[in-house]
Amino acid sequence: REKPKRSGIENKTATEATVYLYDAIGGFFGIEPGKFVKDLNDTKATTIHLRVNSPGGDVNAARAISTALSQHPAKVIAHVDGIAASAASFLILAADEIEMAQGAFLMVHNAWALTIGDAKAHVETAALLDKYSAAIANDYARRSGQPIDVVSAWMDGETWFSADEAVTVGLADKVVETTAAKNQWDLSAFQNAPKSLCI
């Protein structure tokens, strides 16, 4: 779907910078993690505002960006302006604070992949996906304080959290009383996307 793609760093000063993650993560057409991390590391601001509206994307690309955010010396405040789905939902956990706009959503699910090959190839991919999902589940559990079996059940069920629900379960810290950004993403690949978001 045609959509405005936006990533990069704006409003840089000695004390604050705004980093936009308004696109899919990684892949052929999404945010390229190498450039994103380089731009982030070149930012010397003491506070970084990470503004997110993303359907997710490649788990390895998201992990690279998440690691760079967690290792940056600045205080990082994540603002979920629209949706933080799939890989975007664990990427934001690297922030020191997570704020969600009223009407924004956060979605968690198990890792996905496409496999081409024989039965052995599919079995190997399944084992790898289990490892990815376990690592991500640990991220959610560590941030939220919820038991790992509860988090795993969220992921098994592809759970969409409203802003208020995300705060209640510990995946966000604060709801901001502002209108969420309009969804620009085709979410038909997901089973449980709220009807209000489907386009």
Side-chain angles (χ1 to χ4, degrees):
R1 181 180 176 88
E2 289 297 320
K3 60 187 181 299
K5 295 183 180 181
R6 192 175 188 189
S7 65
I9 300 173
E10 297 180 1
N11 307 322
K12 288 191 287 187
T13 69
T15 57
E16 291 193 308
T18 301
V19 180
Y20 286 91
L21 201 155
Y22 263 48
D23 201 350
I25 301 164
F28 293 109
F29 305 108
I31 294 168
E32 201 282 306
K35 182 179 186 308
F36 189 99
V37 170
K38 181 182 183 305
D39 290 345
L40 180 72
N41 289 339
D42 287 342
T43 303
K44 306 305 180 187
T46 55
T47 299
I48 292 174
H49 296 275
L50 176 68
R51 308 209 70 97
V52 178
N53 185 22
S54 173
D58 181 84
V59 65
N60 294 315
R63 181 65 70 188
I65 292 172
S66 174
T67 299
L69 287 166
S70 66
Q71 293 178 349
H72 198 283
K75 178 180 180 178
V76 178
I77 304 173
H79 306 265
V80 181
D81 295 335
I83 62 172
S86 189
S89 68
F90 82 78
L91 183 154
I92 64 173
L93 302 182
D96 298 291
E97 298 176 13
I98 300 173
E99 300 182 355
M100 293 183 64
Q102 191 64 259
F105 283 89
L106 184 152
M107 184 274 275
V108 304
H109 70 157
N110 289 316
W112 290 359
L114 295 175
T115 305
I116 299 174
D118 61 13
K120 182 181 177 182
H122 288 282
V123 169
E124 290 173 349
T125 298
L128 180 60
L129 287 174
D130 283 341
K131 291 179 181 180
Y132 278 132
S133 293
I136 295 167
N138 284 328
D139 292 339
Y140 295 135
R142 195 162 44 244
R143 181 74 186 217
S144 68
Q146 300 286 344
I148 196 70
D149 59 333
V150 170
V151 172
S152 295
W154 293 344
M155 295 171 68
D156 288 343
E158 186 198 295
T159 304
W160 292 76
F161 295 99
S162 68
D164 290 321
E165 289 168 343
V167 170
T168 297
V169 301
L171 291 175
D173 302 303
K174 181 180 178 181
V175 179
V176 179
E177 296 296 330
T178 187
T179 303
K182 188 177 185 299
N183 178 48
Q184 300 168 333
W185 313 102
D186 179 358
L187 305 177
S188 59
F190 301 124
Q191 294 181 351
N192 301 326
K195 290 182 179 179
S196 62
L197 293 179
C198 294
I199 54 175

